[in-house]
């Protein structure tokens, strides 16, 4: 727990693993015309945090609920909860100067305490930002107070228990503050796994996954997080709300699916009942190369529509594959290129497939079913697959290194139906390229469905030294406008602040009205996460 | 279309197929102590329909929208839309006397006309009951006017088009009034299928499936209806609402799942985008017998948790199996009994498994994967499986015959997690037995999930000649109270009027508040399906 807080305070990932090799940086410099510059993280001491606006009365009353030591007003705690991990968040931390931070960090120890805290915050006109792993990349944990007198970060780190396990039904109840690795550690003695592995795995929490409709790298096999949610316990200013009587129901609309994705705007998820599975005894990851994006997406579509997707199914486009090969290094990269050239592959696209199972026999049978549809691909074997698996959580660390040398690096994602997938990819690449000039725009499909797939873009471009935030905001707006009408504004990053302006185009004016009406029913004074998900002016009605 | 209306007017199913054989009736008479009595349906002429309360101004304005011939005030049309197909509905029709009927039947021809009709009804204080196939068994289409001056049935039969097909994404857009067989007929030239086959298949509609969160007999393979819904077009008094930008999204809560299951209380679903699949080239159904309910449910659980369920997976308990054998007839039944006895099966439970696929090879591979987990079962071969398939829509017809001879016959259903499944079954059987005395209570599992399953009960008991409605209401209340706290009040029949009193125990007071808030946002004056889903007093707030 102490470690968790400390991680949040550092505001970055442990840099000792997964750093970028020098040859990769050199390659990138040539590709985007980067003039290497050392711009390491500014020392925390250069950041300014305004005085806390939390009234003494409110602080005292909060302390009476959660314990005096669990209402933190110190500078380090507030800075550690001053935002998420988007590029803009990180750039602001590096730039120094004043930072928007919560007026206090409150650490409740139980679902009941969360209910009490919310009632008290409503009474004292204090906004509440629920805070799990703090890994939002869309402003979901920004310390916005809206029209409230003060704002507190509600850190759920003390809700760290496995509440119950039902091994017959394969349902586990986990508290919201349990991180993904902790969940796996808690379930291991029961032989069970959640199987949810997004890139934020090391820090993100069960509550955060539910609040943001998370999807993980193995979601093709284990399902999106919402597919795993059997029930929720939610604290709201109007009281506690518990859902989840059965695995499926026709007792009205599925209200669980209204809580999942509510991003702390309707309530604070305190416990989640999850469908869990036996821990896989065998995992096998393999690399393949197909010739060109269109071929690759047709292969993934065939796998999805025949319902023989690997548990991990990930297709990189030509640019992402080129970067992967560059990362792998000169000699290795050259050998692979030569191997592919000899096999007539002109536009290599890397396809990683990973199968999990209870036995080698099961994994090999599922692999055989998949591979019948992976026609014409060059097999790179398990070494390439394992290399991907080994490095799959390194993105955030590599980003820290790229930020150090002056690169603007950010990701964005969307999803659409198969018939429009290539059109959407072209539109987003074009928008980013036009907005940024010399840039590498990489793309991969990491989540496939019978009717469509996600697209995940990674952008690398030299950072504008004068206005790094403005530079990215222009590019992000261009990409978002390209997405609107062709796909969803977010497949798994959620809405937060960044996507809120685009939500109405996707769910309609009535959709926003419905969200606002639900919020008014559960959070009548609007203390919960103001400015996230629903524009504040729409909430006021 | 004319035929559809005509079917509704008949108020019962075509009796020429699937009628009960005489030996089955004799067996039943002995089992429940029935004194056979001929009580055929009362002639329609004995039913009284009150004068229409629809104002001339409203009727004229409605006619201006949908065409004069499509506002029907005649007795036959109103009677044909006077309710659904629950036992109580049928008994009321048979009893004669006054019947609650809509003041008119309105037949719009397009989604735009539905929007206009709703605006007009809000203006003229007219309640609207959306009407598809009219097969609700929970009072979902009862002609309730709430506090409105009049009530019309909004028959969606003219919204009968396949709007579009996207063969690449495998998405089809169907209008709400398309019946299940019509949907299959429209998709056949494209080589596609919806694959949704509830017992109401012959009459129920796409819009009705969505509005009630329907599940079909092949939902283990094709998914529940909500799993197929990619998007919805909804007419509301506040305007039109369109959802469905992508196959999956993290752009806030999944509002589609708020529309699916909204039972006409939030809006009228006019079009549904559905994930469709290739029509199976091969279907194979087989019968098995396992020894005892506990063994059977453990087998189904193993199939579900290993994710090798057959597309149709259906387990009957001892009593339902006994009735199935009795239905099969004396000689056949005796032969099967002897065969099972010779194999040591003391408490036969019938298990029907059906696999669909693109080829025999695919079907046999999936069958082999399933059968590895169906240990110790006696195989009855494909004849028994095909017999089940052949008769699978006969339930409603057989019910008509049973009603004719004085039997009280009704079904109810629920679902829960595996660990509580047997407890729930015992509790419901006990409650029904205590309430009804000499009765046959049969049960089957027709829908299985990794974490739990549905339970579907069929009850047969001699009808109380003096108070048949009261007799069933007492039994239904006892069963519903037994379900509350152990499972969901409905797995696929929806809430309607009958389950509304039990909804709050399942979704909480806050759940009902949320539903009411959504209704207020979309239907501010409350014209849509008053008294269904949300108790009227909760809507008024």
């Amino acid at each position: 727990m102490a470690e968790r807080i400390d991680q949040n305070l550092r505001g970055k990932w442990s840099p000792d693993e997964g750093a970028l090799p020098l040859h990769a940086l050199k390659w990138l410099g040539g590709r985007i015309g980067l003039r290497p510059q050392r711009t390491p993280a500014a020392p925390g001491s250069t950041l300014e945090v305004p005085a806390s606006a939390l009234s003494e009365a409110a602080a005292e009353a909060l302390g009476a609920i959660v314990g005096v030591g669990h209402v933190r007003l110190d500078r380090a705690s507030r800075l550690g909860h001053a935002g998420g991990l988007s590029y803009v968040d990180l750039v602001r931390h590096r730039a120094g100067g004043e930072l928007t931070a919560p007026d206090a960090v409150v650490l409740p120890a139980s679902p009941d305490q969360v209910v009490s805290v919310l009632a008290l915050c409503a009474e004292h006109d204090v906004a509440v930002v629920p805070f799990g792993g703090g890994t939002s990349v869309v402003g979901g944990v920004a310390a916005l107070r809206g029209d409230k007198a003060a704002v507190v970060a509600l850190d759920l780190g003390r809700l760290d228990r496995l509440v119950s396990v039902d091994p017959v039904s394969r349902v586990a109840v986990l508290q919201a503050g349990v991180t993904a690795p902790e969940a796996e550690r808690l379930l291991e003695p029961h032989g069970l796994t959640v199987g949810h592995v997004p890139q934020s795995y090391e820090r993100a929490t069960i509550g955060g996954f539910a609040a943001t409709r998370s999807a993980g790298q193995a979601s093709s096999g284990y399902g999106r997080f919402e597919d795993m949610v059997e029930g929720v316990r939610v604290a709201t200013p109007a009281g506690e709300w518990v859902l989840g009587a059965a695995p499926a129901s026709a007792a009205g609309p599925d209200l669980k699916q209204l809580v999942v994705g509510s991003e702390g705007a309707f309530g604070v998820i305190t416990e989640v009942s999850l469908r869990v599975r036996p821990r896989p005894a065998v995992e096998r990851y393999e690399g393949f190369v197909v010739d060109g994006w269109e071929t690759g997406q047709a292969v993934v579509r065939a796998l999805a529509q025949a319902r023989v997707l690997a548990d991990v199914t990930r297709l990189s486009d030509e640019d992402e594959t080129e970067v992967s090969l560059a990362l792998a290094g000169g000699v290795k990269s050259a050998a692979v290129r030569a191997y592919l050239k000899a096999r007539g592959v002109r536009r290599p696209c890397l396809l990683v497939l990973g199968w999990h199972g209870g036995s080698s026999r099961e994994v090999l049978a599922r692999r055989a079913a998949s591979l019948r549809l992976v026609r014409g691909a060059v097999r790179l074997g398990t070494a390439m697959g394992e290399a991907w698996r080994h490095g799959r959580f390194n993105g955030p660390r590599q980003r820290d290194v790229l930020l150090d040398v002056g690169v603007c690096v950010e990701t964005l994602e969307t999803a659409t139906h198969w018939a429009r997938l290539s059109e959407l990819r072209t539109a987003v690449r074009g928008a980013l390229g036009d907005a940024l000039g010399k840039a590498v725009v990489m793309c991969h499909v990491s989540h496939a469905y019978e009717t469509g797939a996600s697209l995940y873009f990674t952008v690398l471009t030299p950072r504008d030294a004068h206005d790094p935030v403005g530079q990215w905001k222009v590019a992000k707006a261009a990409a978002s406008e390209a997405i609107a009408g062709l796909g969803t504004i977010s497949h798994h990053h959620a809405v937060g602040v960044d996507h809120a302006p685009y939500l109405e185009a996707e769910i309609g004016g009535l959709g926003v009205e419905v969200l606002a009406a639900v919020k008014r029913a559960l959070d009548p004074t609007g203390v919960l996460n103001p400015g996230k998900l629903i524009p504040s002016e729409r909430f006021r009605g």
Side-chain angles (χ1 to χ4, degrees), chain A residues 220 290 293-310 312-316 349-353 370 373-375 418 421 444-454:
Chain A
S220 292
V290 294
W293 165 260
E294 289 301 333
T295 305
Q297 64 109 357
V299 166
V300 176
R301 176 161 64 88
L303 291 169
Q305 294 185 338
R307 290 177 284 150
V308 291
L309 280 171
V312 170
T313 303
R314 186 184 178 94
L315 171 72
S316 296
C349 287
L350 182 63
L351 175 66
V352 172
L353 301 177
S370 301
L373 297 174
V374 186
R375 298 198 188 97
W418 289 111
L421 196 69
H444 66 250
V445 167
S446 52
H447 303 82
Y449 308 90
E450 287 180 67
T451 58
S454 66

Side-chain angles (χ1 to χ4, degrees), chain A residues 65-87:
Chain A
I65 296 169
V66 300
V68 175
H70 299 299
V71 179
R72 302 199 182 167
L73 295 156
D74 61 286
R75 184 176 179 281
S77 293
R78 292 174 59 206
L79 262 182
H81 294 75
L85 294 178
S86 72
Y87 170 71

